[in-house]
Amino acid sequence: MRGQPVNGLKRIARNTFVVFLSRVIEVGSGFIIMMVLCRYLSPGPFGEYAFITAVVLAFQPLINLELNTILIRDMSRDPENIDWLLGTGLILKLLLIFGFIIGICLIGSMLAVHATLKIALGIAAFSEVFQQIYWVFNTVFFARERMEYETWCSLIYRIITVGGIAVLGLTGEAYSESLIGVVAVFGILAAGNFFRAVISTGIVLRKFGVRIVWNGWLRMRGLLNQSWLIGIATFFTGLSFRVDVYVLKVIHGPEQISMFHVPHMLVLQTQIFAVALVTALFPTFSRLGGKGIPGEQFRIARIVSVRILTIVGLLLAAGMALFSEIIVLVIGGDEFLASARSLRILSWCIPVLFLNYLSTNLLTSLKRQNVLIIGAAFSLLVNLILDLLLIPGFKAEGAAWATLIAYSLQLVIALVFLRLREGRSLELTSSILLPFALTLTIVSICLFAGGSGVGIYPVRAISIGMLVILLFVMQPAKVRESIRGIIRGRLPRSGF
C-alpha cells in the first residue's frame, strides 16, 4: 500500500515537526539522563563512562557508513524497490556489524583498563549493534515520509532508558563511586536499543508490508560503493568529536574528560533542530538535486535552510555562552562547575555543526559525498595537533578551543565544495558572516561589560531578545515568511 502523496509544503512542515518532536524527546531525555548520571557518578567514574562511550562511538561511522542516508535517498527516488534496498542494506549492515564485534574484541584486549570497564565496553558494543539494526529499518519510515513512527520508537526507547537510569540513581547509590555503576548504565542503554530495534522491525514488516529481499552481491556492492567514502568521512568526523577525550585520558585522566565531555555533549544535543529540518528536507533535496545538477528550486531550498539554521544556531550559542554557569549547575551540579568555561567556548560550535550537517546532506543529495572525506580528514588532523599543543597546559579548555577551530575548518571546506558544485555564489556574507559578527559582538559586550552577580542575567536575557529581533529583521522576506510558517506548523505557499 503506497498511499497518496500529500501536498509537498504541508508534508515538509509536518515531517519537520514530527522529526523535531522526536529529537526533543531524545534531547530532553538526554538532558535528564546526563543530570542523573552527573549526580549518580562522581567525576572519575563519569569520565570512564565518557571514555567507553567515545571508544564505541569511534566505530559507529564504520558500521553505519552513512548507509541509512544512502538508503533514504534511493528509496525516495525509487519507492518500488524498497524491498530489495532494505534487504540488501540489512545484509551489508550485518557484515559490518560482524567486523565491528571483532574490532571491539581486539580493542578490549589491548586496553590497559580495569576488567569491569572491559565488561562495560562489551555491553556498550551490543547496545550499538541493536541501534544499527534499528537505523536500517528506520530508513523505511523516512523514505515513506512517515516520520511519526520514528517518534514513537524514540519515545519507547527513552521511557526505558530514562526510567531505568532514574531507578538506578535512586537505588544504586552504593555503586556511584565504583565502576559497577558504569556497567549498569550501559546495560540499561542496551535494553532500550534492543526493544527499539524489535519494535521498528515489526512495524516495517507488518504494518508497511515491506519484505526483506536479497538482491545479490552486485546490488550490495553498489550500495557499498556509494557509502564507503562518506562512511570514512563520517569516521574522521566522529574521531574529531572524540579525539579530545582520548588525549585528555592519556595526559590528565578521567576527571578532565568529565570537564570537557559534559559541555561537549550539551552542545551536540542542541543539534535537534538541524537534524529535524534537514532530515525532513533530505528527500526533497534528493529529488531537487536530480542527477547531481542543482536547479533553481534546489538553490532556494538551500538558501532558506542555511539562513534558518544560522539564526537558530547563533541564538542557541548566545544563550549557552551567556548562561553557561547556570546551565552547568542545573545539568551537572557543583562538581562540574569548572566546565562552564569550556561550555562558553564550545557554544560557538553550535551554528558551525548545524551548517556542517546541512552541507553534508546537500553534497550527498548531489551525489558528491566523496568529497566529504577531505574536510573530515583535515579537521581530524588539525584537532589532534591542536589537542597535543593545548591540552597539556589548558586541559579541558584547550580541548574546547581545538574542537571549535577544527569544526570551523571542516565547514569552510564543505562550503567550498558546495560552491564549486553549484557554480554560483552561496551568499555567505549576508547569510552567515554578518549574523555571526552581530551575535558575537552582543555576547562579547554582555560578557565583558555586564558586571557580576544575579542581576546580570535579566540584562543578558533582554540582550538575547534584542538579538532575536535583529537576526529576524535582517533576513529576506522569503526567509521571514518561512520562519513564520514553521512556527505556525506549516510552510508558506511561496516556499519550496
Side-chain angles (χ1 to χ4, degrees):
M1 182 183 297
R2 301 294 175 190
Q4 294 297 320
V6 297
N7 177 272
L9 300 179
K10 291 182 179 179
R11 180 186 64 242
I12 293 172
R14 183 199 68 194
N15 289 332
T16 300
F17 172 77
V18 170
V19 177
F20 182 69
L21 178 60
S22 173
R23 297 304 181 265
V24 167
I25 293 171
E26 291 275 342
V27 172
S29 56
F31 282 147
I32 295 173
I33 288 175
M34 191 178 299
M35 290 171 66
V36 174
L37 289 181
C38 287
R39 288 161 174 79
Y40 171 65
L41 299 173
S42 60
F46 186 87
E48 299 291 9
Y49 159 78
F51 174 68
I52 293 297
T53 301
V55 171
V56 172
L57 291 183
F59 284 92
Q60 190 181 80
L62 296 180
I63 323 169
N64 191 33
L65 291 183
E66 287 303 308
L67 187 62
N68 53 325
T69 304
I70 301 299
L71 286 174
I72 292 171
R73 184 190 69 189
D74 290 352
M75 288 176 180
S76 299
R77 290 175 175 173
D78 193 9
E80 299 299 323
N81 287 318
I82 282 183
D83 292 345
W84 73 256
L85 282 167
L86 176 65
T88 307
L90 182 61
I91 297 298
L92 177 56
K93 180 71 71 174
L94 292 175
L95 292 175
L96 294 169
I97 287 173
F98 179 71
F100 165 68
I101 293 173
I102 294 175
I104 284 292
C105 291
L106 292 174
I107 291 290
S109 65
M110 292 187 293
L111 281 178
V113 296
H114 193 278
T116 307
L117 280 183
K118 293 187 178 183
I119 296 173
L121 177 64
I123 296 174
F126 276 107
S127 179
E128 182 61 33
V129 168
F130 298 141
Q131 178 165 265
Q132 289 292 331
I133 293 173
Y134 161 71
W135 280 351
V136 173
F137 287 94
N138 194 39
T139 59
V140 177
F141 302 153
F142 284 93
R144 291 280 184 86
E145 300 190 62
R146 297 296 303 274
M147 285 76 164
E148 62 269 22
Y149 289 106
E150 196 254 359
T151 301
W152 282 111
C153 289
S154 295
L155 181 60
I156 293 169
Y157 168 72
R158 285 309 184 179
I159 289 174
I160 295 171
T161 54
V162 173
I165 290 176
V167 170
L168 183 66
L170 293 173
T171 62
E173 187 176 348
Y175 300 109
S176 62
E177 299 288 337
S178 72
L179 298 178
I180 296 177
V182 177
V183 174
V185 170
F186 282 118
I188 293 169
L189 297 176
N193 275 319
F194 171 76
F195 282 106
R196 181 164 63 168
V198 170
I199 291 168
S200 64
T201 302
I203 293 173
V204 168
L205 298 183
R206 294 190 176 184
K207 185 169 184 63
F208 284 84
V210 178
R211 297 177 300 153
I212 299 175
V213 177
W214 167 243
N215 204 256
W217 292 102
L218 186 61
R219 294 287 193 181
M220 191 173 75
R221 192 170 123 188
L223 282 177
L224 187 60
N225 286 339
Q226 294 182 73
S227 61
W228 74 271
L229 273 174
I230 190 173
I232 293 176
T234 310
F235 172 67
F236 288 146
T237 300
L239 280 183
S240 293
F241 288 169
R242 296 164 191 103
V243 68
D244 315 88
V245 171
Y246 306 144
V247 177
L248 283 167
K249 170 76 171 175
V250 172
I251 297 178
H252 291 294
E255 290 193 10
Q256 280 301 310
I257 292 178
S258 296
M259 295 303 111
F260 172 79
H261 183 73
V262 169
H264 193 209
M265 287 305 298
L266 288 172
V267 166
L268 294 179
Q269 295 280 10
T270 61
Q271 292 190 76
I272 57 167
F273 187 87
V275 172
L277 181 63
V278 177
T279 302
L281 284 174
F282 184 69
T284 301
F285 285 142
S286 298
R287 285 192 292 269
L288 296 179
K291 297 182 178 180
I293 303 173
E296 183 62 19
Q297 285 294 96
F298 182 93
R299 187 185 74 86
I300 294 173
R302 189 257 305 155
I303 289 174
V304 174
S305 301
V306 166
R307 287 181 175 272
I308 291 176
L309 290 179
T310 299
I311 292 173
V312 176
L314 286 173
L315 291 174
L316 289 172
M320 280 207 171
L322 293 176
F323 296 91
S324 56
E325 292 88 356
I326 294 176
I327 292 171
V328 169
L329 280 174
V330 171
I331 298 296
D334 291 336
E335 289 187 292
F336 292 85
L337 186 57
S339 66
R341 293 190 296 271
S342 297
L343 179 58
R344 193 168 291 159
I345 300 166
L346 287 168
S347 63
W348 298 103
C349 293
I350 296 174
V352 175
L353 288 171
F354 276 22
L355 295 173
N356 256 326
Y357 188 77
L358 175 62
S359 300
T360 296
N361 280 268
L362 288 172
L363 287 167
T364 302
S365 68
L366 295 173
K367 297 185 177 181
R368 290 293 290 166
Q369 61 266 22
N370 56 313
V371 303
L372 296 172
I373 192 172
I374 299 173
F378 185 70
S379 173
L380 173 60
L381 179 62
V382 170
N383 202 351
L384 178 59
I385 292 173
L386 291 175
D387 278 340
L388 295 174
L389 291 174
L390 298 175
I391 285 178
F394 298 98
K395 300 181 181 178
E397 292 177 50
W401 279 113
T403 299
L404 175 58
I405 294 170
Y407 290 172
S408 301
L409 288 174
Q410 185 175 1
L411 173 60
V412 170
I413 293 172
L415 291 174
V416 168
F417 282 117
L418 188 60
R419 166 71 174 81
L420 293 174
R421 188 61 173 175
E422 287 202 31
R424 68 183 90 187
S425 172
L426 300 182
E427 303 174 18
L428 299 182
T429 300
S430 60
S431 61
I432 299 176
L433 297 181
L434 288 178
F436 193 95
L438 174 65
T439 305
L440 185 60
T441 300
I442 292 176
V443 170
S444 298
I445 292 172
C446 289
L447 289 176
F448 296 112
S452 59
V454 179
I456 65 172
Y457 293 112
V459 176
R460 292 180 178 182
I462 293 172
S463 299
I464 291 180
M466 293 174 56
L467 182 62
V468 170
I469 296 172
L470 290 172
L471 290 176
F472 182 78
V473 169
M474 66 190 300
Q475 302 304 317
K478 180 178 289 292
V479 177
R480 294 199 300 271
E481 187 182 357
S482 297
I483 293 173
R484 291 192 193 98
I486 290 174
I487 292 173
R488 298 185 191 114
R490 57 184 173 82
L491 289 180
R493 295 184 180 278
S494 60
F496 44 88

